[in-house]
């Protein structure tokens, strides 16, 4: 909750419901500064604590465009190496939009852990 969300998100609008277990579901929502509301969710397909998260991802406005996110964590001499992979996009525009979004979220995570 302290780092997730786009940089143009209205403060205190982020809501998250997470059931982080294989078969569990999640739902996230937030509102941008321009007033646009976003909601996404999915199902955890695989959860290995401290090693792996695999989950589906779909915006509630386009549930038919479900994609797949895989995040692995490995010990590294400097801390933890996180490998983030998001696949199965409907088209290049969706891919590029998600790349921009996740990049901004991960920049916020980097600032938070630093």
């Amino acid at each position: 909750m302290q780092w997730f969300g786009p940089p143009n998100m209205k403060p205190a609008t982020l809501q998250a419901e997470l059931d982080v277990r294989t078969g569990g579901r999640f739902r996230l929502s937030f509102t941008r500064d321009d007033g646009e509301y976003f909601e996404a969710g999915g199902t955890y397909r695989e959860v290995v604590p401290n090693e792996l998260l695999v989950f589906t991802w779909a915006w509630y406005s386009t549930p038919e465009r479900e994609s797949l996110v895989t995040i692995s964590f490995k010990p590294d001499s400097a801390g933890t190496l996180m490998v983030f992979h998001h696949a199965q996009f409907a088209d290049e525009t969706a891919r590029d939009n998600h790349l921009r979004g996740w990049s901004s979220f991960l920049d916020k995570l980097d600032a938070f852990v630093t």
Side-chain angles (χ1 to χ4, degrees):
M1 298 297 281
Q2 296 180 26
W3 63 266
F4 192 85
N8 60 345
M9 181 178 68
K10 281 187 181 180
T13 65
L14 177 61
Q15 303 237 346
E17 297 170 13
L18 309 171
D19 181 9
V20 185
R21 61 182 173 85
T22 300
R25 299 190 55 76
F26 72 92
R27 185 188 70 78
L28 305 165
S29 64
F30 59 88
T31 303
R32 288 192 320 207
D33 289 340
D34 63 7
E36 190 169 359
Y37 175 78
F38 293 88
E39 188 171 351
T43 302
Y44 293 99
R45 291 196 176 165
E46 191 173 354
V47 177
V48 180
N50 302 313
E51 291 182 26
L52 181 69
L53 286 173
V54 179
F55 54 92
T56 61
W57 176 275
W59 294 104
Y60 278 44
S61 59
T62 54
E64 72 282 0
R65 291 181 160 207
E66 184 177 83
S67 54
L68 188 67
V69 177
T70 301
I71 306 171
S72 64
F73 306 91
K74 296 188 187 317
D76 184 68
S77 62
T80 301
L81 173 66
M82 181 177 77
V83 177
F84 185 99
H85 186 255
H86 193 161
Q88 301 177 342
F89 295 108
D91 55 37
E92 289 181 8
T93 300
R95 180 200 64 201
D96 294 348
N97 288 340
H98 281 87
L99 176 60
R100 278 191 299 279
W102 286 120
S103 293
S104 71
F105 292 9
L106 294 172
D107 286 347
K108 287 175 69 176
L109 173 60
D110 183 52
F112 177 74
V113 297
T114 300

